[in-house]
Amino acid sequence: MTVPSPLRTAPGSLNATLASDLPTNVTNETFCSTDWPVVIPNELFLTLGALSFLENLLVVAAIVKNRNLHSPMYYFICCLAVSDMLVSISNVVETFFMLLIDHGVLVVRSSTMQQMDNVMDMLICSSLMSSLSFLSVIAIDRYITIFYALRYHNIMTFQRAVMVIVAVWLVSSVSSAIFITYDSTAVILCLVVFFLSMVILIMALYIHMFALARQHARRISSMQRKQNSPQFTSMKGAITLTILLGVFFVCWGPFFLHLILILTCPTHPTCTCYFSYFSLYLILVICNSVVDPIIYAFRSQELRRTLKEVVFCFW
């Protein structure tokens, strides 16, 4: 079995902190079949990263190209795609250097490797925070669309949408830089608290949104105007967001559970067994970036049509 590349587990990096909790010489016979962490081939990381980058790049190009998609909700979706691209870029660059190092093509000093890994960790951290933030922003946008439909264009103006986007990217970037320079335990705690806070906010909006939307749907159905209702269109956007959130929690959930276990039971046999599958959790994170563009295209006919035009332009 091959060992993880030094770049992905450079000393002092966030990845190194997560990997440091992996079992090394303690065999958990009850829960684990091996005392070594599971290793995923670098080629798989590289392939998924490249695929994710191309898919999300097409989504961004389609939204920029089609004026019908120039609305706050699609601006936020575009930013969500950019967040996924950050994960892809960090993964492709990191894996590329890992392959060069593993094959002896590239030799770097440990200090240089540390700096490179810090940059990759910052990109991943920024992507994580911006993704959660934009999912929350999209949920708020759908909430306003459903309950303040007549005032939506006055509330969610282009200027306000731009201000929200700039604020999210600024806070995500600055926070990521601070996290990388501070104690690793504090970083993990902050990420977990941020994740739980965003989940609580989104779930609170959803409970209210779908409860009242159900009442609206009944009234609209009784008036036989369901298909032409703006609330129905808004609910379609809310359902799309529901799918995105579900995929996000499935893909990022194991990673966040890994962080929580590091804080709560770093030496427990069950936890150390869970730590040994850390590479699989990274694969799931990358898969989230691969699946999201498919959801955009599947749920939006206008975006799907524009994506076809963009692809044929480059064909």
Side-chain angles (χ1 to χ4, degrees), residues 66-91:
N66 191 339
R67 292 185 176 275
N68 293 332
L69 301 178
H70 290 185
S71 64
M73 185 187 76
Y74 280 102
Y75 290 151
F76 299 143
I77 289 178
C78 182
C79 291
L80 191 58
V82 174
S83 298
D84 288 337
M85 286 175 63
L86 288 180
V87 173
S88 305
I89 292 171
S90 62
N91 174 70

Side-chain angles (χ1 to χ4, degrees), residues 31 33 54 62 64 125 133 140 153 190 246 306 309:
F31 300 98
S33 59
L54 291 176
V64 172
C125 215
S133 298
I140 295 173
H153 294 290
C190 289
T306 309
E309 294 176 359

Side-chain angles (χ1 to χ4, degrees), residues 233-246:
T233 303
S234 301
M235 281 305 301
K236 184 177 180 181
I239 293 172
T240 301
L241 176 59
T242 305
I243 298 173
L244 288 173
L245 284 170

Side-chain angles (χ1 to χ4, degrees), residues 188-199:
I188 297 174
L189 182 60
C190 289
L191 287 176
V192 171
V193 170
F194 178 74
F195 175 77
L196 294 177
S197 300
M198 292 298 101
V199 169

Side-chain angles (χ1 to χ4, degrees), residues 116-184:
M116 293 170 56
D117 201 82
N118 285 341
V119 173
M120 297 302 106
D121 288 342
M122 195 174 101
L123 283 175
I124 293 175
C125 215
S126 177
S127 171
L128 167 61
M129 295 191 65
S130 59
S131 294
L132 268 173
S133 298
F134 282 118
L135 283 172
S136 301
V137 169
I138 294 173
I140 295 173
D141 178 79
R142 292 300 86 197
Y143 184 91
I144 296 174
T145 305
I146 292 174
F147 296 113
Y148 302 94
L150 298 179
R151 298 172 51 199
Y152 173 78
H153 294 290
N154 293 328
I155 297 175
M156 190 59 70
T157 62
F158 174 79
Q159 291 78 8
R160 287 177 179 171
V162 171
M163 290 175 60
V164 169
I165 291 171
V166 172
V168 168
W169 282 118
L170 183 61
V171 172
S172 299
S173 301
V174 173
S175 300
S176 301
I178 294 175
F179 286 167
I180 298 304
T181 58
Y182 271 78
D183 179 72
S184 54

Side-chain angles (χ1 to χ4, degrees), residues 184-312:
S184 54
T185 303
V187 172
I188 297 174
L189 182 60
C190 289
L191 287 176
V192 171
V193 170
F194 178 74
F195 175 77
L196 294 177
S197 300
M198 292 298 101
V199 169
I200 292 173
L201 171 63
I202 293 173
M203 293 305 298
L205 290 174
Y206 261 63
I207 292 174
H208 190 207
M209 186 162 46
F210 280 102
L212 270 70
R214 187 177 180 182
Q215 297 178 5
H216 290 177
R218 288 178 177 176
R219 295 173 185 173
I220 294 167
S221 178
S222 63
M223 296 167 58
Q224 297 182 351
R225 293 189 294 109
K226 183 176 181 180
Q227 297 299 326
N228 296 327
S229 170
Q231 281 84 0
F232 177 77
T233 303
S234 301
M235 281 305 301
K236 184 177 180 181
I239 293 172
T240 301
L241 176 59
T242 305
I243 298 173
L244 288 173
L245 284 170
V247 172
F248 182 89
F249 292 144
V250 168
C251 294
W252 282 90
F255 178 83
F256 274 101
L257 180 57
H258 183 104
L259 299 183
I260 294 173
L261 293 181
I262 288 177
L263 296 173
T264 57
C265 58
T267 59
H268 192 277
T270 305
C271 297
T272 55
C273 176
Y274 190 85
F275 297 152
S276 65
Y277 294 93
F278 179 65
S279 293
L280 292 179
Y281 312 147
L282 293 180
I283 286 291
L284 283 176
V285 168
I286 301 171
C287 286
N288 178 73
S289 302
V290 174
V291 174
D292 278 353
I294 299 175
I295 298 174
Y296 306 149
F298 178 76
R299 296 294 302 175
S300 173
Q301 183 177 359
E302 184 74 20
L303 180 58
R304 186 165 59 248
R305 180 181 62 81
T306 309
L307 282 171
K308 291 179 181 178
E309 294 176 359
V310 173
V311 171
F312 289 146

